[in-house]
């Protein structure tokens, strides 16, 4: 640290000595969030190893090793390593949330120590330090303002309000308050000084500051597991137990009835292989990974891919206003010109600025800082550069005096010297409409017309400034602005505009049965106006933070059912709103971009952060990040989430259905005293078909046509409903009957066992093609799905046909599979059975089993 020039008036202030500061630093600790015990990669890896699905994969690989099939075992172990790597990366990313928050709360700070102005690390700031506040710098700690000169701070990270708030020197009359509100003598850590200068005494550091409380809350919030994750774990456990019990039964019965225990072990292993549910985990992993990849191509980053499908089941979308629905920058949208008959208004969208309005806009620019940082002043400058002629911007005029805002007068004036006119000065003022009315000494009728117009603009969500101008001929400057002879010119109305496409996106959410609620720290009037512009349902009124503070958790749960607009909401209240909605059984998606949104983003089922304007803390706390900050991208995410869940159910239904004939044909010899049909090598071959079909082919399927016209699925509905389970078993049963009858018929015709096995195997593979076609859509016929391209399906089918032809035609492979060469007649029988089973499935789908389909899906 070292001395620097003093940007503000620090005379008379000595601050703490270095010894005092060091002592307080030892007592209170650094000005940073407390370091929590982070989970190392070893801890995370140990948790993964304990997962039932992970253990099942390892067990499956062990079975293949025992069978001597090293290739299949190595493939499964490869999946184990991939899954571990993905999980480790995702888990370690979540550990960065608090670290990002700590970095934000520890900027460099300028303080007065021992009468000297020095720069120190933000983490070394202690209670009692004197902070020198300068324009453009981040405040290092919560502090009491001792001096303020046009001091403005941006507190949107803590409150969600886009408009900077004015700070004044403490008079000892205002109690310590929370962030938000104009004219208060307190500044807060992590906020930014956007105008003026000041001096403040530190009141709270580290976890005791406002942002520190947010960090503590964030640390306490646990990210809930997704319903899909829980359901998949249950399914894997159930199928594993059933497969194990059946395998043990097969070994016992085979040995007892046939006195061939070695054959019994072989049959039991074959059945176990046919029923091991490792495909479920593979399918889930592929779907989530590919879903994340597809979202990335649509400017959506999935930080926790398992939440992608949950987005498709979201019932409530809680969205912040500032920077999410709106663009988080002010824009002038309307000018008002004072006339003898009232106020004449001109909208910016109308085109060229009429000459009569030049002076209104010109005065607004003259009353603003030359190098503006305040968003409203920047917006006024921007409109001037686009609508005023160059000669109307007075490049030769010199600013020689300023009158700043005060509690007594909410207006600021700039005095300009006009070079072309000796001893002539132009005084430009802008401020609150009531303050301008006072400065201009308007009569009651004029004042009423002005305030009525300003109120009408405010009710439309606009921020309104009045402007006036005076001429002054001498250098004997008055002590206060009130002593100038101002002439009222008009009004400047600004807004934080909606993002393009927001209204359409909210409409699409409504069509999809998703309620949209706006949760903001802004004022109720502004929030209600923005909500109306965005197309939110206003019938439930506005629920403010002050009202929320008086409600119990149970009462809040009742209110959130009808309310869509929440205003003046504090960070912990956002978290209460999310928890209240979750308590009602809703699946909650929450968007946001500020530090104040981080706890609620983490607590929601799906936290969605803005990528461009969002803070690093918000992005790290979220499950999804909108890389382009486009609210309409949420609709694409919902569509993709629903598509993923639809296709996941189709894939799971296919896998369950295809395992029925495989397991049934493995049991058939035992039940009817027939020769063994399948051996482990046949199951391994079929797995080569099932795995890519269940994962890649169904994942690549296009969405159903009515995907955004259905209501969200019941959050409590299982992945495998009874109807879908019945449909899958019926499909598998139909194929089992067709292929089983074929095998029995061939044996009855004295066809050699090896030829009957080869014919039945080929028929089963071809029947699986039909099973794929039927399950590609639960709402359209198989013929119609042929018109929907799916390159992954074509590749898998061609590869499967090539492998089947090799197994049937190459002598070495035929011996490995215990096949014999097939005649054209037997090949024709296999093809006929495959086609017949497909027609049977399609007929069942159209005539009877449509009643078993998931709600909302229909045959078209």
């Amino acid at each position: 640290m070292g001395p620097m020039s003093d940007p503000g008036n620090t005379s008379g202030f000595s601050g703490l000595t270095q010894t005092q500061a060091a002592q307080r630093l030892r007592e209170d600790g650094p000005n940073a969030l407390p370091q929590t015990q982070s989970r190392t990669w070893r801890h995370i890896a140990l948790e993964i190893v304990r997962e039932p699905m992970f253990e099942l994969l390892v067990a499956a690989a062990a079975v293949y090793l025992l069978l001597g099939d090293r290739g299949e075992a190595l493939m499964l172990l490869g999946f184990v390593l991939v899954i571990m790597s993905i999980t480790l990366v995702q888990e370690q990313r979540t550990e960065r949330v608090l670290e990002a928050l700590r970095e934000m709360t520890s900027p460099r700070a300028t303080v007065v120590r021992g009468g000297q102005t020095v720069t120190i690390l933000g983490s070394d700031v202690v209670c009692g330090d004197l902070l020198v506040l300068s324009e453009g710098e981040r405040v290092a700690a919560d502090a009491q303002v001792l001096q303020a000169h046009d001091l403005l701070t941006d507190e949107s990270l803590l409150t969600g309000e886009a408009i900077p708030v004015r700070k004044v020197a403490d008079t000892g009359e205002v109690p310590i308050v929370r962030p938000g509100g104009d004219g208060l003598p307190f500044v807060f850590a992590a906020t930014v000084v956007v105008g003026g200068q000041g001096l403040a005494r530190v009141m709270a550091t580290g976890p005791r500051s406002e942002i520190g409380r947010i960090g503590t809350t964030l640390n306490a919030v646990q990210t809930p597991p997704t319903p899909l994750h829980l359901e998949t774990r249950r399914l894997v456990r159930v199928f594993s137990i059933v497969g194990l019990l059946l395998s043990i039964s097969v070994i016992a019965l085979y040995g007892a009835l046939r006195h061939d225990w070695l054959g019994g072990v072989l049959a039991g292993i074959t059945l176990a292989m046919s029923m091991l549910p490792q495909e479920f985990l593979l399918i889930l992993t592929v779907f989530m990974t590919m879903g994340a990849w597809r979202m990335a191509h649509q400017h959506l980053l999935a930080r926790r891919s398992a939440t992608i499908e949950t987005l498709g089941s979201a019932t409530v979308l809680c969205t912040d206003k500032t920077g999410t629905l709106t663009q988080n920058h002010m824009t002038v949208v309307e000018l008002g010109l004072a006339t003898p008959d009232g106020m004449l208004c001109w909208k910016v969208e109308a085109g060229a600025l009429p000459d009569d309005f030049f002076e209104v806009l010109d005065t607004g620019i003259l009353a603003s800082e030359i190098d503006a940082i305040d968003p409203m002043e920047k917006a006024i400058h921007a409109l001037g550069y686009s609508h005023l002629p160059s000669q109307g911007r007075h490049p030769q005029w010199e600013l020689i005096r300023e009158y700043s805002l005060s509690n007594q007068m909410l207006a600021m004036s700039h005095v300009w010297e006009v070079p072309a006119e000796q001893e002539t000065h132009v005084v430009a003022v802008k401020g609150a409409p009531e303050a301008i009315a006072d400065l201009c000494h308007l009569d009651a009728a004029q004042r009423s017309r002005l305030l009525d117009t300003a109120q009408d603009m405010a009710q439309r969500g606009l921020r309104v400034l009045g402007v006036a101008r005076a001429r002054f001929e001498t250098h004997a400057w008055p002590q206060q602005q009130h002593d100038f002879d101002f002439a009222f010119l008009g009004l400047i109305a600004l807004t934080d505009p909606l993002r393009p496409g927001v209204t359409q996106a909210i409409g699409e959410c409504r069509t999809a049965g998703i309620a949209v609620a706006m949760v903001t720290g802004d004022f109720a009037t502004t929030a209600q106006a923005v909500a109306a512009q965005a197309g939110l349902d206003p019938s439930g009124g506005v629920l403010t933070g002050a009202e929320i503070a008086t409600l119990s958790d149970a009462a809040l749960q009742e209110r959130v059912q009808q309310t869509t607009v929440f205003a003046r909401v504090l960070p912990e209240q956002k978290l209460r709103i999310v928890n209240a909605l979750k308590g009602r059984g809703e699946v909650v998606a929450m968007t946001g971009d500020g530090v104040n949104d981080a706890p609620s983003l983490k607590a929601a089922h799906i936290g969605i952060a803005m990528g461009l304007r969002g803070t690093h803390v918000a992005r790290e706390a979220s499950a999804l990040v909108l890389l382009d900050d486009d609210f309409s991208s949420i609709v694409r995410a919902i569509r993709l989430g629903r598509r993923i869940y639809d296709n996941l159910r189709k894939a799971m239904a296919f896998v369950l259905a295809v395992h029925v004939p495989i397991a049934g044909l493995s049991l058939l010899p035992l039940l009817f005293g027939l020769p063994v049909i399948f051996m482990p090598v046949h199951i391994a071959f079929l797995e080569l078909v099932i795995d890519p079909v269940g994962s890649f082919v169904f994942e690549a399927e296009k969405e159903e046509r009515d995907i955004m016209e259905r209501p969200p699925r019941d959050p409590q509905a299982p992945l495998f409903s009874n109807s879908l389970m019945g449909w899958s078993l019926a499909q598998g049963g139909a194929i089992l009957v067709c292929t089983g009858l074929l095998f029995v018929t061939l044996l009855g015709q004295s066809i050699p066992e090896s030829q009957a096995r080869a014919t039945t195997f080929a028929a089963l593979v071809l029947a699986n093609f039909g099973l794929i076609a039927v399950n590609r859509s639960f709402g359209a016929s198989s013929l119609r799905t042929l018109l929907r391209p799916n390159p992954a399906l074509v590749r898998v089918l061609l590869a499967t046909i090539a492998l089947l032809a090799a197994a049937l035609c190459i002598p070495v492979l035929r011996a490995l599979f215990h096949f014999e060469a097939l005649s054209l007649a037997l090949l024709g029988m296999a093809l006929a059975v495959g086609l017949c089973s497909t027609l049977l499935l399609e007929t069942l789908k159209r005539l009877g089993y449509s009643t078993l389909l998931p709600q909302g899906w229909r045959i078209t």
Side-chain angles (χ1 to χ4, degrees):
M1 77 185 168
M4 59 169 290
S5 60
D6 186 355
N9 181 16
T10 62
S11 60
F13 294 93
S14 60
L16 300 176
T17 66
Q18 294 295 350
T19 302
Q20 290 173 324
Q23 177 62 28
R24 293 191 181 184
L25 188 61
R26 286 192 296 269
E27 293 173 355
D28 297 340
N31 180 31
L33 294 184
Q35 294 281 347
T36 55
Q37 184 65 37
S38 299
R39 291 189 305 162
T40 65
W41 68 269
R42 293 184 181 87
H43 291 106
I44 299 171
L46 186 59
E47 291 177 5
I48 297 171
V49 169
R50 290 173 178 170
E51 282 284 332
M53 289 189 289
F54 176 87
E55 293 172 352
L56 283 170
L57 268 179
V58 174
V63 169
Y64 284 118
L65 282 175
L66 290 175
L67 292 171
D69 193 339
R70 295 181 180 179
E72 191 76 10
L74 291 174
M75 183 180 70
L76 285 178
L77 290 174
F79 285 135
V80 170
L81 294 176
V82 170
I83 292 168
M84 282 192 67
S85 300
I86 293 174
T87 308
L88 280 170
V89 170
Q90 296 294 343
E91 289 284 348
Q92 287 186 321
R93 281 182 179 177
T94 62
E95 292 299 317
R96 299 175 192 162
V97 177
L98 290 177
E99 182 60 33
L101 196 52
R102 282 190 288 269
E103 291 174 1
M104 179 171 288
T105 57
S106 186
R108 297 185 70 83
T110 303
V111 299
V112 179
R113 292 264 179 96
Q116 296 292 318
T117 302
V118 295
T119 299
I120 63 174
L121 291 175
S123 58
D124 291 339
V125 172
V126 298
C127 285
D129 260 330
L130 295 180
L131 289 178
V132 178
L133 306 175
S134 301
E135 194 170 290
E137 294 184 355
R138 192 177 294 278
V139 180
D142 291 4
Q144 174 190 21
V145 179
L146 303 180
Q147 291 183 353
H149 178 69
D150 294 341
L151 184 61
L152 294 172
T153 63
D154 179 358
E155 297 183 349
S156 61
L157 290 179
L158 295 173
T159 66
E161 296 181 28
I163 306 299
V165 290
R166 181 174 51 90
K167 299 299 179 180
V168 298
D170 190 15
T171 60
E173 301 175 356
V174 181
I176 297 175
V177 295
R178 306 295 297 275
D182 212 36
L184 296 176
F186 304 102
V187 292
F188 300 92
T191 62
V192 179
V193 178
V194 296
Q197 297 174 336
L199 190 69
R201 179 178 287 112
V202 174
M203 304 180 302
T205 60
R208 294 166 293 279
S209 65
E210 285 295 320
I211 198 171
R213 293 190 186 100
I214 295 175
T216 302
T217 304
L218 180 62
N219 190 34
V221 175
Q222 298 297 319
T223 303
T226 66
L228 179 62
H229 180 71
L230 297 174
E231 177 68 13
T232 304
R233 289 172 62 179
R234 186 185 68 83
L235 278 173
V236 170
R237 190 177 298 113
V238 169
F239 279 97
S240 298
I241 293 172
V242 171
L244 178 62
L245 292 177
L246 285 177
S247 298
I248 294 173
S249 300
V250 165
I251 294 173
L253 289 174
Y254 205 101
L257 296 177
R258 300 195 179 189
H259 306 291
D260 183 2
W261 290 99
L262 182 60
V265 170
L266 182 62
I269 290 175
T270 302
L271 182 61
M273 291 179 61
S274 70
M275 298 192 68
L276 274 176
Q278 72 267 16
E279 295 96 351
F280 287 155
L281 179 57
L282 173 63
I283 289 169
L284 181 61
T285 302
V286 169
F287 268 64
M288 296 301 104
T289 303
M290 292 298 293
W293 177 79
R294 293 185 190 281
M295 279 194 170
H297 281 262
Q298 297 182 7
H299 307 290
L300 290 152
L301 174 63
R303 296 191 62 257
R304 291 191 292 272
S305 59
T307 61
I308 293 174
E309 64 82 23
T310 312
L311 185 61
S313 64
T315 58
V316 177
L317 172 59
C318 295
T319 174
D320 190 22
K321 177 184 73 69
T322 306
T324 306
L325 291 178
T326 65
Q327 299 178 25
N328 198 22
H329 70 78
M330 301 301 292
T331 301
V332 179
V333 293
E334 194 170 332
L335 297 179
L337 175 66
T339 68
D341 299 324
M343 192 71 64
L344 180 63
C345 293
W346 171 79
K347 295 184 183 299
V348 172
E349 63 188 22
L353 179 70
D355 292 345
D356 293 343
F357 288 85
F358 275 20
E359 193 173 15
V360 174
L361 180 56
D362 183 50
T363 302
I365 294 173
L366 291 173
S368 301
E369 297 294 342
I370 298 173
D371 297 319
I373 294 180
D374 180 281
M376 290 191 292
E377 292 187 346
K378 291 172 69 175
I380 294 171
H381 275 289
L383 184 66
Y385 275 100
S386 61
H387 284 79
L388 289 180
S390 58
Q391 63 270 22
R393 293 198 287 270
H394 317 297
Q396 304 303 320
W397 288 18
E398 182 181 354
L399 178 64
I400 59 175
R401 188 172 176 85
E402 297 184 42
Y403 291 85
S404 60
L405 290 162
S406 67
N407 282 336
Q408 294 74 33
M409 181 56 63
L410 298 178
M412 62 181 295
S413 298
H414 284 176
V415 181
W416 295 84
E417 186 174 72
V418 183
E421 303 178 33
Q422 295 295 327
E423 298 297 325
T424 298
H425 305 90
V426 172
V427 186
V429 62
K430 74 177 190 320
E434 58 271 21
I436 300 301
D438 187 31
L439 287 175
C440 296
H441 308 289
L442 299 182
D443 60 33
Q446 293 172 323
R447 182 183 180 90
S448 177
R449 287 197 298 269
L450 164 61
L451 297 183
D452 285 347
T453 303
Q455 180 63 21
D456 175 68
M457 291 177 172
Q459 289 178 346
R460 289 185 278 129
L462 304 180
R463 192 66 171 239
V464 186
L465 298 175
V467 294
R469 184 179 289 203
R471 297 183 74 84
F472 199 70
E473 303 295 338
T474 73
H475 289 278
W477 309 116
Q479 292 298 314
Q480 56 183 358
Q481 303 175 70
H482 211 281
D483 295 332
F484 289 110
D485 186 18
F486 283 111
F488 176 61
L489 298 180
L491 299 173
I492 299 176
L494 305 95
T495 188
D496 184 5
L498 289 176
R499 288 185 174 277
V502 162
T503 304
Q504 180 182 355
I506 289 177
E508 290 189 51
C509 286
R510 188 180 299 109
T511 301
I514 301 169
V516 180
M518 184 173 72
V519 185
T520 179
D522 214 337
F523 293 96
T525 302
T526 304
Q528 198 165 23
V530 172
Q533 296 170 21
L536 293 177
D537 181 7
S539 59
V542 179
L543 182 62
T544 65
E547 294 176 275
I548 292 174
T550 65
L551 298 176
S552 65
D553 290 343
L556 183 58
Q557 281 192 24
E558 292 298 321
R559 290 295 301 274
V560 297
Q561 186 179 14
Q562 297 89 20
T563 306
T564 58
V565 182
F566 301 84
R568 302 299 287 168
V569 174
L570 298 174
E572 58 267 30
Q573 292 173 334
K574 290 187 177 186
L575 182 58
R576 283 192 68 197
I577 291 170
V578 170
N579 287 333
L581 290 166
K582 290 167 65 177
R584 296 192 60 85
E586 306 285 358
V587 177
V588 183
M590 168 72 187
T591 70
D593 61 356
V595 174
N596 59 313
D597 296 321
S600 48
L601 284 173
K602 188 175 180 183
H605 294 102
I606 313 107
I608 310 170
M610 297 296 151
L612 295 178
R613 298 182 182 271
T615 62
H616 187 58
V617 176
R619 292 194 294 270
E620 288 293 329
S622 65
L624 297 174
V625 178
L626 299 182
L627 299 178
D628 57 359
D629 283 12
D630 186 354
F631 183 85
S632 60
S633 296
I634 296 175
V635 177
R636 295 197 296 271
I638 291 171
R639 178 184 295 272
L640 185 55
R642 291 189 174 192
R643 166 187 162 178
I644 289 171
Y645 191 77
D646 275 7
N647 289 344
L648 184 62
R649 286 169 65 90
K650 295 173 187 176
M652 295 293 195
F654 164 79
V655 169
L656 178 58
V658 80
H659 275 279
V660 171
I662 295 173
L665 291 175
S666 299
L667 283 171
L668 194 63
L670 176 63
L671 298 177
F672 296 98
L674 299 174
V676 172
I677 302 177
F678 290 154
M679 300 172 188
V681 66
H682 303 119
I683 308 301
F685 180 94
L686 291 171
E687 288 293 326
L688 291 176
V689 179
I690 297 171
D691 285 349
V693 169
S695 53
F696 295 105
V697 171
F698 282 104
E699 190 281 329
E701 278 296 322
K702 300 294 184 183
E703 67 266 14
E704 304 285 350
R705 289 183 300 172
D706 64 343
I707 196 167
M708 293 300 287
E709 297 173 6
R710 313 177 205 150
R713 68 180 180 88
D714 183 356
Q716 304 302 321
L719 178 66
F720 253 121
S721 62
N722 291 334
S723 60
L724 192 61
M725 181 81 74
W727 172 236
S728 295
L729 295 176
Q731 291 181 99
I735 295 176
L736 173 60
V737 170
C738 292
T739 52
L741 286 176
L742 173 63
F743 185 69
V744 172
T745 300
L746 292 174
L747 292 178
Q749 295 177 353
S750 300
I751 299 295
E753 175 186 325
S754 54
Q755 283 190 325
R757 178 182 297 114
T759 306
T760 303
F761 183 81
L764 178 60
V765 172
L766 295 173
N768 285 341
F769 292 169
L771 189 63
I772 296 169
V774 171
N775 282 281
R776 285 184 66 191
S777 172
F778 288 123
S781 66
S782 301
L783 290 177
R784 181 168 293 179
T785 59
L786 292 177
L787 301 177
R788 285 202 318 226
N790 188 332
L793 174 60
V794 175
R795 289 193 292 269
V796 168
L797 292 183
L798 291 176
T800 302
I801 291 173
L803 289 173
L804 178 61
L808 294 175
C809 300
I810 300 176
V812 174
L813 293 179
R814 280 206 307 263
L816 178 64
F817 278 82
H818 302 276
F819 290 163
E820 283 189 21
L822 298 181
S823 63
L824 290 177
L826 290 176
L827 285 173
M829 290 182 67
L831 179 60
V833 169
L835 291 175
C836 287
S837 62
T838 301
L839 292 175
L840 177 59
L841 293 176
E842 188 65 31
T843 301
L844 290 173
K845 180 177 173 181
R846 284 182 167 273
L847 298 181
Y849 272 99
S850 60
T851 59
L852 295 177
L853 299 181
Q855 184 179 5
W857 282 334
R858 61 185 185 276
I859 306 298
T860 57

